[in-house]
Amino acid sequence: ALDFKVVYAGGNCYTPVDLVASRDAGETKWNDNAAFSKRFDAFFKANIRLSFRMNGKKVSHEYQFYIENVTNHKNVLYQMYSKSKDEVVNTYQLGFFPMILYRMNF
């Protein structure tokens, strides 16, 4: 089998980081008065999977090669305050990620 999946969705809502309060506290503090008032950019991800299955009388074998986020698109997951950089930094979702699978079903 050959599978291809493309996801394009609106960005998630988030609460912005309060930079002044974060600097004072030395850790991430969010602006609760503006809870979920911001939205990240639209989300894009494409996955591809190549699989082969052999069925026997008592057992089946399945082999898969799967690539998540084949385009290596950088999607923002959340924002945090970085004390070492003294700024708000983005943390991104997993980028290009290949996986190999072997499964045996009885």
Side-chain angles (χ1 to χ4, degrees):
L2 177 63
D3 298 322
F4 189 72
K5 178 180 174 183
V6 176
V7 176
Y8 183 78
N12 291 330
C13 295
Y14 69 97
T15 302
V17 174
D18 186 337
L19 188 57
V20 174
S22 296
R23 283 180 178 146
D24 292 342
E27 64 182 15
T28 304
K29 297 291 183 183
W30 287 273
N31 182 356
D32 292 332
N33 294 328
F36 303 105
S37 63
K38 301 283 184 170
R39 183 178 291 270
F40 290 122
D41 291 338
F43 175 93
F44 176 79
K45 183 169 76 167
N47 304 332
I48 190 166
R49 177 175 50 187
L50 178 63
S51 64
F52 178 73
R53 184 174 180 154
M54 296 184 316
N55 292 320
K57 290 184 180 188
K58 295 186 178 187
V59 66
S60 67
H61 303 273
E62 184 177 1
Y63 303 91
Q64 281 188 20
F65 180 65
Y66 181 73
I67 300 174
E68 181 141 347
N69 198 359
V70 71
T71 59
N72 202 24
H73 195 78
K74 303 291 184 197
N75 297 307
V76 179
L77 182 60
Y78 60 87
Q79 291 182 331
M80 297 291 284
Y81 170 70
S82 170
K83 189 174 179 180
S84 61
K85 294 181 181 178
D86 193 36
E87 64 183 13
V88 176
V89 295
N90 292 331
T91 300
Y92 295 94
Q93 291 183 349
L94 191 61
F96 180 83
F97 188 71
M99 294 175 272
I100 296 175
L101 169 84
Y102 170 72
R103 185 181 330 189
M104 197 174 4
N105 294 316
F106 298 93

